[in-house]
Tab-separated table of all heavy atoms in Angstrom:
chain	number	residue	atom	x	y	z
E	195	LEU	N	9.419	-2.369	-6.938
E	195	LEU	CA	8.464	-3.454	-7.157
E	195	LEU	C	8.436	-3.794	-8.652
E	195	LEU	O	8.464	-4.990	-8.973
E	195	LEU	CB	7.054	-3.034	-6.686
E	195	LEU	CG	5.915	-4.042	-6.868
E	195	LEU	CD1	6.044	-5.217	-5.900
E	195	LEU	CD2	4.561	-3.380	-6.714
E	196	ILE	N	8.323	-2.864	-9.534
E	196	ILE	CA	8.301	-3.093	-10.966
E	196	ILE	C	9.652	-3.669	-11.417
E	196	ILE	O	9.670	-4.546	-12.272
E	196	ILE	CB	7.909	-1.856	-11.743
E	196	ILE	CG1	6.553	-1.283	-11.229
E	196	ILE	CG2	7.865	-2.111	-13.212
E	196	ILE	CD1	5.421	-2.267	-11.379
E	197	ARG	N	10.724	-3.143	-10.882
E	197	ARG	CA	12.058	-3.642	-11.231
E	197	ARG	C	12.152	-5.176	-10.896
E	197	ARG	O	12.594	-5.942	-11.734
E	197	ARG	CB	13.116	-2.946	-10.436
E	197	ARG	CG	14.553	-3.481	-10.608
E	197	ARG	CD	15.409	-3.133	-9.436
E	197	ARG	NE	14.989	-3.593	-8.212
E	197	ARG	CZ	15.388	-3.165	-6.963
E	197	ARG	NH1	16.302	-2.225	-6.878
E	197	ARG	NH2	14.891	-3.707	-5.866
E	198	ASP	N	11.625	-5.549	-9.738
E	198	ASP	CA	11.637	-6.976	-9.330
E	198	ASP	C	10.736	-7.839	-10.249
E	198	ASP	O	11.085	-8.984	-10.509
E	198	ASP	CB	11.285	-7.052	-7.885
E	198	ASP	CG	12.248	-6.453	-6.916
E	198	ASP	OD1	13.373	-6.135	-7.388
E	198	ASP	OD2	11.942	-6.267	-5.765
E	199	PHE	N	9.592	-7.260	-10.684
E	199	PHE	CA	8.742	-7.933	-11.569
E	199	PHE	C	9.423	-8.333	-12.858
E	199	PHE	O	9.356	-9.426	-13.319
E	199	PHE	CB	7.502	-7.103	-11.891
E	199	PHE	CG	6.679	-7.555	-13.069
E	199	PHE	CD1	5.876	-8.677	-12.987
E	199	PHE	CD2	6.752	-6.877	-14.255
E	199	PHE	CE1	5.163	-9.079	-14.099
E	199	PHE	CE2	5.987	-7.226	-15.357
E	199	PHE	CZ	5.203	-8.390	-15.269
E	200	TYR	N	10.126	-7.352	-13.422
E	200	TYR	CA	10.872	-7.620	-14.649
E	200	TYR	C	12.010	-8.592	-14.450
E	200	TYR	O	12.282	-9.432	-15.251
E	200	TYR	CB	11.389	-6.303	-15.257
E	200	TYR	CG	10.334	-5.529	-15.982
E	200	TYR	CD1	10.146	-4.169	-15.628
E	200	TYR	CD2	9.500	-6.056	-16.936
E	200	TYR	CE1	9.181	-3.373	-16.215
E	200	TYR	CE2	8.526	-5.231	-17.565
E	200	TYR	CZ	8.384	-3.930	-17.228
E	200	TYR	OH	7.424	-3.183	-17.829
E	201	SER	N	12.713	-8.453	-13.321
E	201	SER	CA	13.803	-9.308	-12.985
E	201	SER	C	13.378	-10.778	-12.955
E	201	SER	O	13.975	-11.686	-13.491
E	201	SER	CB	14.463	-8.928	-11.664
E	201	SER	OG	15.556	-9.777	-11.299
E	202	VAL	N	12.290	-11.053	-12.197
E	202	VAL	CA	11.809	-12.385	-11.997
E	202	VAL	C	11.078	-12.880	-13.299
E	202	VAL	O	11.159	-14.066	-13.630
E	202	VAL	CB	10.819	-12.481	-10.865
E	202	VAL	CG1	10.030	-13.767	-10.811
E	202	VAL	CG2	11.555	-12.231	-9.541
E	203	GLY	N	10.453	-11.975	-13.991
E	203	GLY	CA	9.686	-12.344	-15.189
E	203	GLY	C	10.473	-12.522	-16.481
E	203	GLY	O	10.036	-13.188	-17.365
E	204	ILE	N	11.654	-11.969	-16.484
E	204	ILE	CA	12.459	-12.032	-17.706
E	204	ILE	C	13.707	-12.930	-17.471
E	204	ILE	O	14.135	-13.699	-18.356
E	204	ILE	CB	12.913	-10.606	-18.194
E	204	ILE	CG1	11.647	-9.873	-18.548
E	204	ILE	CG2	13.829	-10.709	-19.375
E	204	ILE	CD1	11.956	-8.414	-18.960
E	205	LYS	N	14.337	-12.831	-16.281
E	205	LYS	CA	15.527	-13.650	-15.929
E	205	LYS	C	16.654	-13.498	-16.974
E	205	LYS	O	17.369	-14.496	-17.277
E	205	LYS	CB	15.147	-15.131	-15.791
E	205	LYS	CG	14.101	-15.385	-14.694
E	205	LYS	CD	13.872	-16.880	-14.545
E	205	LYS	CE	12.685	-17.200	-13.662
E	205	LYS	NZ	12.881	-16.751	-12.273
E	206	GLY	N	16.770	-12.340	-17.533
E	206	GLY	CA	17.842	-12.174	-18.508
E	206	GLY	C	17.635	-12.794	-19.838
E	206	GLY	O	18.554	-12.750	-20.727
E	207	ALA	N	16.525	-13.323	-20.112
E	207	ALA	CA	16.247	-14.003	-21.420
E	207	ALA	C	16.168	-12.973	-22.486
E	207	ALA	O	15.835	-11.810	-22.309
E	207	ALA	CB	14.902	-14.829	-21.279
E	208	GLU	N	16.420	-13.410	-23.687
E	208	GLU	CA	16.328	-12.542	-24.853
E	208	GLU	C	14.867	-12.344	-25.257
E	208	GLU	O	14.105	-13.295	-25.345
E	208	GLU	CB	17.151	-13.099	-26.052
E	208	GLU	CG	17.182	-12.200	-27.267
E	208	GLU	CD	18.056	-12.762	-28.353
E	208	GLU	OE1	18.945	-13.569	-28.074
E	208	GLU	OE2	17.842	-12.364	-29.518
E	209	THR	N	14.485	-11.081	-25.483
E	209	THR	CA	13.071	-10.826	-25.822
E	209	THR	C	13.043	-9.926	-27.014
E	209	THR	O	13.914	-9.154	-27.309
E	209	THR	CB	12.353	-10.076	-24.650
E	209	THR	OG1	13.028	-8.851	-24.334
E	209	THR	CG2	12.288	-10.944	-23.382
E	210	LYS	N	11.958	-10.031	-27.753
E	210	LYS	CA	11.754	-9.273	-28.981
E	210	LYS	C	11.462	-7.787	-28.628
E	210	LYS	O	11.848	-6.868	-29.349
E	210	LYS	CB	10.655	-9.806	-29.860
E	210	LYS	CG	10.918	-11.191	-30.469
E	210	LYS	CD	9.755	-11.668	-31.322
E	210	LYS	CE	10.048	-13.027	-31.908
E	210	LYS	NZ	8.890	-13.497	-32.758
E	211	PHE	N	10.799	-7.645	-27.481
E	211	PHE	CA	10.398	-6.250	-27.012
E	211	PHE	C	11.533	-5.758	-26.025
E	211	PHE	O	12.017	-6.542	-25.218
E	211	PHE	CB	9.064	-6.321	-26.344
E	211	PHE	CG	8.469	-4.937	-26.078
E	211	PHE	CD1	7.716	-4.284	-27.012
E	211	PHE	CD2	8.692	-4.374	-24.855
E	211	PHE	CE1	7.129	-3.065	-26.750
E	211	PHE	CE2	8.185	-3.069	-24.598
E	211	PHE	CZ	7.423	-2.450	-25.546
E	212	SER	N	11.767	-4.483	-26.082
E	212	SER	CA	12.718	-3.892	-25.148
E	212	SER	C	12.049	-3.391	-23.877
E	212	SER	O	11.318	-2.410	-23.925
E	212	SER	CB	13.454	-2.777	-25.840
E	212	SER	OG	14.442	-2.198	-24.985
E	213	TYR	N	12.247	-4.129	-22.803
E	213	TYR	CA	11.660	-3.709	-21.537
E	213	TYR	C	12.605	-2.778	-20.764
E	213	TYR	O	13.817	-2.933	-20.932
E	213	TYR	CB	11.325	-4.944	-20.716
E	213	TYR	CG	10.278	-5.823	-21.374
E	213	TYR	CD1	10.649	-6.946	-22.169
E	213	TYR	CD2	8.927	-5.570	-21.222
E	213	TYR	CE1	9.731	-7.703	-22.799
E	213	TYR	CE2	7.965	-6.376	-21.860
E	213	TYR	CZ	8.359	-7.420	-22.647
E	213	TYR	OH	7.439	-8.178	-23.249
E	214	PRO	N	12.063	-1.915	-19.871
E	214	PRO	CA	12.898	-0.979	-19.200
E	214	PRO	C	13.786	-1.621	-18.147
E	214	PRO	O	13.358	-2.556	-17.450
E	214	PRO	CB	11.905	0.046	-18.559
E	214	PRO	CG	10.670	-0.825	-18.443
E	214	PRO	CD	10.617	-1.704	-19.617
E	215	ASP	N	15.010	-1.088	-18.009
E	215	ASP	CA	15.882	-1.498	-16.940
E	215	ASP	C	15.612	-0.499	-15.843
E	215	ASP	O	16.214	0.559	-15.794
E	215	ASP	CB	17.287	-1.465	-17.397
E	215	ASP	CG	18.288	-1.906	-16.336
E	215	ASP	OD1	17.871	-2.437	-15.293
E	215	ASP	OD2	19.553	-1.748	-16.572
E	216	VAL	N	14.746	-0.804	-14.897
E	216	VAL	CA	14.213	0.125	-13.956
E	216	VAL	C	15.270	0.435	-12.849
E	216	VAL	O	15.802	-0.403	-12.198
E	216	VAL	CB	12.910	-0.382	-13.254
E	216	VAL	CG1	12.410	0.617	-12.250
E	216	VAL	CG2	11.868	-0.643	-14.346
E	217	ASP	N	15.546	1.727	-12.705
E	217	ASP	CA	16.408	2.228	-11.659
E	217	ASP	C	15.475	2.991	-10.704
E	217	ASP	O	15.064	4.140	-11.029
E	217	ASP	CB	17.470	3.146	-12.250
E	217	ASP	CG	18.328	3.815	-11.146
E	217	ASP	OD1	18.127	3.532	-9.979
E	217	ASP	OD2	19.178	4.635	-11.544
E	218	PRO	N	15.251	2.476	-9.504
E	218	PRO	CA	14.221	3.119	-8.605
E	218	PRO	C	14.582	4.548	-8.232
E	218	PRO	O	13.749	5.389	-7.915
E	218	PRO	CB	14.276	2.208	-7.356
E	218	PRO	CG	14.621	0.852	-7.925
E	218	PRO	CD	15.607	1.149	-8.958
E	219	SER	N	15.859	4.910	-8.280
E	219	SER	CA	16.246	6.257	-7.866
E	219	SER	C	15.789	7.327	-8.872
E	219	SER	O	15.853	8.516	-8.550
E	219	SER	CB	17.813	6.294	-7.770
E	219	SER	OG	18.467	6.245	-9.033
E	220	THR	N	15.278	6.924	-10.036
E	220	THR	CA	14.791	7.905	-11.061
E	220	THR	C	13.340	8.288	-10.726
E	220	THR	O	12.824	9.149	-11.466
E	220	THR	CB	14.835	7.279	-12.423
E	220	THR	OG1	13.943	6.141	-12.522
E	220	THR	CG2	16.248	6.871	-12.805
E	221	MET	N	12.721	7.723	-9.698
E	221	MET	CA	11.307	7.999	-9.453
E	221	MET	C	11.059	8.514	-8.051
E	221	MET	O	11.721	8.086	-7.120
E	221	MET	CB	10.473	6.748	-9.806
E	221	MET	CG	10.713	6.252	-11.227
E	221	MET	SD	9.480	4.982	-11.714
E	221	MET	CE	8.043	5.998	-11.905
E	222	ALA	N	9.993	9.319	-7.939
E	222	ALA	CA	9.674	9.903	-6.585
E	222	ALA	C	8.253	10.363	-6.637
E	222	ALA	O	7.676	10.543	-7.701
E	222	ALA	CB	10.599	11.040	-6.168
E	223	SER	N	7.639	10.580	-5.454
E	223	SER	CA	6.300	11.156	-5.378
E	223	SER	C	6.395	12.666	-5.333
E	223	SER	O	7.447	13.214	-5.066
E	223	SER	CB	5.587	10.626	-4.134
E	223	SER	OG	6.177	11.103	-2.976
E	224	LEU	N	5.307	13.340	-5.649
E	224	LEU	CA	5.300	14.802	-5.586
E	224	LEU	C	5.589	15.305	-4.146
E	224	LEU	O	6.288	16.297	-3.976
E	224	LEU	CB	3.917	15.365	-6.004
E	224	LEU	CG	3.724	15.554	-7.480
E	224	LEU	CD1	2.201	15.848	-7.766
E	224	LEU	CD2	4.583	16.621	-8.035
Side-chain angles (χ1 to χ4, degrees):
L195 178 73
I196 303 301
R197 176 201 61 194
D198 294 346
F199 164 74
Y200 285 127
S201 177
V202 168
I204 297 175
K205 299 184 189 298
E208 186 175 336
T209 59
K210 294 181 180 179
F211 190 89
S212 180
Y213 296 94
D215 183 9
V216 179
D217 175 2
S219 69
T220 62
M221 304 192 71
S223 67
L224 275 171

